[in-house]
């Protein structure tokens, strides 16, 4: 397409701009479906160790529950590709039934993975934050979401929750965070009155 009339500039709004205009930006109140949301604190020794501690917590606590209960249609949102590689290797080692959608996957791989996830042939889907940022895939069949870490863009939190199946009952959202995620949690849980 051609630009006929002139220029335009796209930039991300800041929280200060939202506050000046009376908008409080994306919040947890933007979630449209009623679903239980659990924020789980991950013990963390230091800032440098947070990725390892989060993976260890997932391997010791969350993954055994997933494997034991065999919950189908569980999406695991992973904000970092490095965390994705670690988590994928862990799931391969534990022989979990999963599929992954990343920013580097071919279109055919993504389509095949989404279909298998929707049909229940694969019970877990690993989904990276960059894949969501660049492609905004519509993932059907999600009943449970686990945030391995909170999204870098806080509007993705409510956006991901709003992709859950219509009329979902008994679904569950679990967010794993640590002491260093407090700013991200403030963005997601910001109340409309503050």
């Amino acid at each position: 397409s051609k630009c006929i009339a002139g220029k335009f500039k796209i930039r991300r709004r800041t929280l200060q701009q939202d506050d000046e205009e009376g908008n409080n930006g994306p919040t947890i109140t933007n979630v449209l479906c009623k679903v239980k949301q659990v924020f789980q604190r991950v013990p963390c020794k230091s800032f440098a160790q947070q990725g390892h501690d989060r993976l260890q917590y997932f391997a010791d606590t969350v993954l055994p529950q997933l494997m034991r209960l065999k919950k189908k249609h569980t999406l695991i949102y992973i904000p970092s590709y490095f965390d994705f590689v670690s988590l994928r290797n862990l799931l391969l080692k534990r022989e979990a039934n999963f599929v992954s959608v990343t920013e580097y996957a071919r279109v055919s791989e993504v389509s095949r993975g989404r279909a298998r996830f929707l049909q229940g042939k694969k019970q877990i889907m690993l989904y990276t934050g960059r894949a969501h940022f660049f492609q905004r895939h519509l993932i059907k069949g999600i009943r449970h979401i686990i945030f391995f870490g909170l999204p870098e863009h806080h509007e993705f939190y409510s956006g991901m929750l709003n992709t859950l199946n219509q009329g979902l009952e008994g679904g569950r959202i679990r967010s794993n965070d640590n002491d260093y995620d407090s700013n991200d949690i403030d963005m997601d849980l910001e109340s409309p009155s503050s």
Side-chain angles (χ1 to χ4, degrees), residues 34-54:
K34 291 185 179 184
V35 66
K36 183 177 181 180
Q37 299 177 45
V38 177
F39 289 86
Q40 183 69 46
R41 179 69 61 170
V42 176
C44 186
K45 297 173 187 150
S46 69
F47 183 76
Q49 286 285 102
Q50 69 176 332
H52 175 38
D53 291 342
R54 193 183 307 249

Side-chain angles (χ1 to χ4, degrees), residues 58 62-63 65-78 87 91 96-101 113-114 116-128 139-148 160 163-165 168 170-176:
F58 187 87
V62 179
L63 188 57
Q65 289 176 358
L66 273 177
M67 302 291 273
R68 187 179 72 246
L69 298 175
K70 297 186 189 233
K71 287 188 176 180
K72 288 188 176 183
H73 305 284
T74 300
L75 182 132
I76 302 174
Y77 180 93
I78 310 161
L87 194 57
L91 291 176
N97 185 17
F98 75 97
V99 66
S100 59
V101 174
R114 287 170 49 195
R116 289 178 180 162
F117 181 73
L118 177 63
Q119 296 165 356
K121 292 178 181 175
K122 299 291 183 178
Q123 69 184 48
I124 299 171
M125 175 181 280
L126 301 180
Y127 188 55
T128 64
I139 310 292
K140 296 180 182 177
I142 302 171
R143 294 199 181 116
H144 310 281
I145 299 179
I146 297 173
F147 286 94
F148 187 74
M160 288 300 298
T163 63
L164 292 171
N165 283 347
L168 176 69
R172 185 176 177 147
I173 308 303
R174 181 182 197 146
S175 301
N176 297 324

Side-chain angles (χ1 to χ4, degrees), residues 2-193:
K2 287 186 176 180
C3 180
I4 298 171
K7 301 177 189 176
F8 70 94
K9 192 184 276 188
I10 298 175
R11 66 184 173 98
R12 193 168 166 198
R13 297 177 60 86
T14 63
L15 287 176
Q16 182 179 6
Q17 289 172 328
D18 287 340
D19 288 341
E20 289 171 0
E21 295 175 12
N23 290 331
N24 285 328
T27 67
I28 202 166
T29 58
N30 290 344
V31 177
L32 302 176
C33 58
K34 291 185 179 184
V35 66
K36 183 177 181 180
Q37 299 177 45
V38 177
F39 289 86
Q40 183 69 46
R41 179 69 61 170
V42 176
C44 186
K45 297 173 187 150
S46 69
F47 183 76
Q49 286 285 102
Q50 69 176 332
H52 175 38
D53 291 342
R54 193 183 307 249
L55 182 66
Q56 192 64 42
Y57 177 82
F58 187 87
D60 295 341
T61 307
V62 179
L63 188 57
Q65 289 176 358
L66 273 177
M67 302 291 273
R68 187 179 72 246
L69 298 175
K70 297 186 189 233
K71 287 188 176 180
K72 288 188 176 183
H73 305 284
T74 300
L75 182 132
I76 302 174
Y77 180 93
I78 310 161
S80 162
Y81 187 76
F82 299 112
D83 289 335
F84 163 76
V85 171
S86 301
L87 194 57
R88 181 196 62 200
N89 292 341
L90 174 69
L91 291 176
L92 286 171
K93 193 183 300 182
R94 302 269 180 102
E95 298 178 356
N97 185 17
F98 75 97
V99 66
S100 59
V101 174
T102 69
E103 61 274 19
Y104 300 114
R106 292 188 311 268
V107 174
S108 60
E109 291 173 345
V110 171
S111 298
R112 192 172 28 252
R114 287 170 49 195
R116 289 178 180 162
F117 181 73
L118 177 63
Q119 296 165 356
K121 292 178 181 175
K122 299 291 183 178
Q123 69 184 48
I124 299 171
M125 175 181 280
L126 301 180
Y127 188 55
T128 64
R130 286 177 53 95
H132 185 68
F133 181 83
F134 289 114
Q135 280 104 22
R136 305 287 168 108
H137 296 290
L138 177 62
I139 310 292
K140 296 180 182 177
I142 302 171
R143 294 199 181 116
H144 310 281
I145 299 179
I146 297 173
F147 286 94
F148 187 74
L150 292 173
E152 291 178 7
H153 299 280
H154 57 272
E155 60 269 12
F156 288 177
Y157 182 82
S158 58
M160 288 300 298
L161 268 59
N162 288 333
T163 63
L164 292 171
N165 283 347
Q166 298 291 337
L168 176 69
E169 294 296 328
R172 185 176 177 147
I173 308 303
R174 181 182 197 146
S175 301
N176 297 324
D177 59 77
N178 59 37
D179 295 333
Y180 305 104
D181 290 334
S182 62
N183 189 36
D184 294 335
I185 293 172
D186 290 343
M187 298 290 191
D188 291 334
L189 298 179
E190 179 183 286
S191 67
S193 60

